[in-house]
Amino acid sequence: MTTNPHDRRLADLARILGLERNLLEYLLYKLVAARLLMAGTDPRYIIQSLVEVEDALDRVRVIAGKREAALTEIARAVGLERDQLTISRLAEMASPATRFVMYELKHEYVRLAHQIEQVSSDNKRLADLALSTTAEVLKNLAGSPAGVTYDQRGSSHQAQPRPVRLDEVI
């Protein structure tokens, strides 16, 4: 039985891809948690949740750097350009066990990419809605023209309510 000289590199890459898949799953979890908080009525933990999303993204970036380094090494070893290496092409070069893992990872990456994109879109929509609602509340607190009234001389003018500090209102 001949051994592919690249099996070890490909197995190491499959391990890195598996770690990246786990981190993408974790990122998805954090995005869903943030979406639930933004859709809820208690905003206390939204900022903390968004910080956790950013932390998860940082972890994904770190492992993505390791993946790119491994892919560059494999590309150099097999005499290909880095952009010619797809998971399918790598799987064809791998041993049967590693090939199976890579095809499974490819399927998982597609699923996760779709779900992350959907939840991120939902989160953006909820954040935009919250921002516009907050702007409207602040506008109402600061006051907007309330209509026509009369001054001391009997002339009409637009009434401009003065801003009121929230703690004075409460």
Side-chain angles (χ1 to χ4, degrees):
M1 178 174 138
T2 60
T3 304
N4 181 337
H6 308 296
D7 274 349
R8 191 172 141 256
R9 284 186 183 106
L10 292 169
D12 287 345
L13 175 63
R15 183 186 54 77
I16 291 169
L17 291 172
L19 291 172
E20 187 174 29
R21 190 213 64 83
N22 290 342
L23 288 174
L24 289 171
E25 191 75 49
Y26 180 71
L27 172 62
L28 178 60
Y29 163 73
K30 290 300 182 179
L31 287 167
V32 168
R35 180 182 66 191
L36 293 172
L37 285 168
M38 285 189 281
T41 58
D42 188 355
R44 286 182 289 180
Y45 301 108
I46 291 174
I47 297 298
Q48 176 62 34
S49 180
L50 296 176
V51 167
E52 290 174 357
V53 167
E54 192 60 38
D55 289 344
L57 278 169
D58 288 342
R59 293 169 72 180
V60 169
R61 288 181 191 115
V62 168
I63 198 75
K66 291 178 181 181
R67 173 184 30 89
E68 285 304 311
L71 285 169
T72 300
E73 180 183 327
I74 291 169
R76 195 174 307 125
V78 298
L80 294 172
E81 293 294 319
R82 161 57 193 95
D83 61 350
Q84 294 175 310
L85 293 179
T86 63
I87 291 181
S88 295
R89 187 152 193 192
L90 290 165
E92 292 169 5
M93 298 177 347
S95 66
T98 303
R99 181 177 306 128
F100 176 79
V101 169
M102 287 196 172
Y103 282 130
E104 287 295 312
L105 287 169
K106 179 181 177 181
H107 172 73
E108 286 295 303
Y109 269 76
V110 170
R111 178 188 65 82
L112 284 167
H114 174 71
Q115 290 178 336
I116 287 170
E117 183 179 327
Q118 183 63 48
V119 174
S120 295
S121 176
D122 291 348
N123 286 3
K124 182 180 180 332
R125 183 183 50 77
L126 286 168
D128 289 347
L129 178 63
L131 184 59
S132 65
T133 302
T134 301
E136 188 65 30
V137 167
L138 290 174
K139 178 181 166 189
N140 289 337
L141 284 174
S144 57
V148 177
T149 188
Y150 298 95
D151 63 15
Q152 293 173 342
R153 291 174 291 155
S155 300
S156 64
H157 72 282
Q158 284 292 107
Q160 294 281 342
R162 296 181 194 198
V164 178
R165 288 188 359 203
L166 187 58
D167 59 343
E168 289 176 358
V169 173
I170 297 175

